[in-house]
Structure formats: structure tokens, C-alpha cells
Amino acid sequence: MKKNYMFAWTLLIAILILTVVMIAMTLFEAKQLSSNQGLVTENQLAIAQFKADLHLEIQPVRGERDALVQIVEFGDYKSPYSKEWEEQVYPKLEEEYIASGKAAYYYLHNPLPDMDSHLAARAAEYLMDVDENLFWRFHTLLYKKEGFMHYRWGTEAFILDLLRVYFPEVDIQTFIQRYQSESVLSMVLMDQEAAKKYGVEYNPTIFVNGKLAEDSSYESIKKLIDKELALHMNH
């Protein structure tokens, strides 16, 4: 009898300890979940603010605008580093994240204090206003045709020749009248103001969901993208 009595008490104590441990674990997991949800909410608010500051709803985009990850490049058509990024880094991002709908990519102008840079940015913005597909065709072509950084090559004559040869659907006279208008200029200035607000100092500068990439390399950007995707998966 005594042995049975002791066994019963031991079993009861073990059950009580196990119950306490399970309750403690449940409370801990609930606290962690609540904490993670708070972080995600804070992250989502930060992303929303970033998108508003940069007016991403009207910016040229590759991919789905409602993608979980928003990649933004501040670039310049006369920058050899922006050209290199477009031709070597972007295709990897397109293949791994953008084509699958995980990420969207936006291009914002951060032109050098150079007439060629500004003319190219205005031409691109005019085409964006006409048709976003025209913008991206021009964007890609301009980097392919980019000349030396320290020489004048992006002149109005150069841009008009490109349009005549590669964009027959664009009315040249209308383009000449409007691409240096105040409305088009305001779009370029809006990008420049956003670049100033977020401390952009060089081209290209890359942001992922509002977070500044350590540099413009594929590895740095991938690290940020994967972190953002994991955050959403955990939520």
C-alpha cells in the first residue's frame, strides 16, 4: 500500500510539473508571437511610409506593385555604375524574385548635375506619361547606348535620333514641345527630392522595403530581400 501511495504522489507531482512547463511554454510562445506581430506591423507601417514618400504608386515598375518586397533603385542614365547594375545585377533579381511575383522593382531618377542626365531623365518621364512600356524600352536602350561619362553624348539630337529609329509610334513634334515642360520636370524633381530625403549620395543606391542596401551588389540586395520574405512568412 505504501508503495502504491508513494507512486501515486510521484505521478501527481510529475503531472503538475509537466502542466506548469506546458503552460509556461504556451505563454512564452504567445509572447513571442505577439512580439513578432508587433514587429511586422511596425515594418508594414515603415514600408507604407516609404512608398508614400517615393510616390511608388505612379513610378515605373517591373513586376507586381503589390509584391511583398519593393526594390527601389535611384539611378542615372549617364552613370556607368547604374549601367553595370542594370546589365549585371538586375537580371539576377528578375530571375529569382521579380518574375515569380515575390518582388517589384522601381526606378527613380537621381540625375547628375549634367545636362545630358537631365535631358535623358525628362525624356524617360515624358514616355512614362505616354505609356509605361515606352519608358522601359527607352530605359533599357539608353543604357545600351550609354557613352562615356565625361563626354556630352545624351544631347537632344541623340535622344531624337533614338526615338526616330526605335520608337516610330512616338510623335517627335509633340515630344519636342512637351518633354521639357514644367509637368515633366516636376516628376524628375519629385524623384530628386525623395533621393535627398533618404540621403542618397551616389548611383545606383538601392532600397528594399525602405531599408538601405549596404551596397548595390546582388549579394547585399538578396540578403535584405530574403530577410523581408522571412519576416512575412513568420507572420
Side-chain angles (χ1 to χ4, degrees), residues 75-89:
D76 172 56
Y77 290 124
K78 203 171 181 180
S79 165
Y81 307 108
S82 292
K83 172 183 171 69
E84 181 181 0
W85 194 91
E86 166 73 13
E87 295 176 348
Q88 297 184 21
V89 178

Side-chain angles (χ1 to χ4, degrees), residues 12 19 34 54 56 60-61 78 82 96 99 107 120 129 146 154 161 196 198 200 211 215 219 224-225 230:
L12 179 61
T19 302
S34 176
L54 273 59
L56 293 190
V61 63
K78 203 171 181 180
S82 292
E96 186 165 354
Y107 181 86
D129 187 55
E146 184 180 286
D161 284 344
K196 183 178 179 181
Y198 279 84
V200 175
K211 300 175 179 65
D215 54 52
E219 291 74 20
L224 277 179
I225 293 174

Side-chain angles (χ1 to χ4, degrees), residues 25 32 86 101 105 118 135 142 172-173 205 226 230 234-235:
M25 290 179 64
Q32 288 294 102
E86 166 73 13
Y105 159 77
H118 282 271
F135 171 90
L142 207 54
I172 298 300
Q173 290 307 312
T205 292
D226 289 344
N234 292 335
H235 179 58

Side-chain angles (χ1 to χ4, degrees), residues 38-158:
L39 286 173
V40 170
T41 301
E42 184 178 340
N43 190 52
Q44 288 173 336
L45 288 173
I47 294 170
Q49 184 63 57
F50 178 73
K51 292 170 70 173
D53 289 342
L54 273 59
H55 307 279
L56 293 190
E57 73 281 0
I58 60 171
Q59 299 289 4
V61 63
R62 287 167 168 164
E64 302 297 328
R65 289 187 184 272
D66 60 353
L68 290 175
V69 176
Q70 308 277 298
I71 306 167
V72 173
E73 175 198 359
F74 283 93
D76 172 56
Y77 290 124
K78 203 171 181 180
S79 165
Y81 307 108
S82 292
K83 172 183 171 69
E84 181 181 0
W85 194 91
E86 166 73 13
E87 295 176 348
Q88 297 184 21
V89 178
Y90 174 77
K92 297 178 183 178
L93 296 173
E94 165 72 29
E95 181 179 358
E96 186 165 354
Y97 298 106
I98 297 169
S100 63
K102 295 177 183 177
Y105 159 77
Y106 301 81
Y107 181 86
L108 274 69
H109 302 287
N110 186 38
L112 297 169
D114 178 284
M115 183 59 71
D116 291 2
S117 295
H118 282 271
L119 288 179
R122 293 182 192 186
E125 282 299 332
Y126 171 80
L127 294 174
M128 174 65 185
D129 187 55
V130 175
D131 185 333
E132 188 169 349
N133 290 325
L134 292 177
F135 171 90
W136 287 116
R137 282 170 53 197
F138 183 78
H139 175 91
T140 302
L141 182 64
L142 207 54
Y143 278 128
K144 288 181 178 178
K145 300 288 185 180
E146 184 180 286
F148 291 107
M149 183 177 181
H150 300 294
Y151 293 93
R152 282 219 65 192
W153 56 269
T155 61
E156 182 176 82
F158 171 83

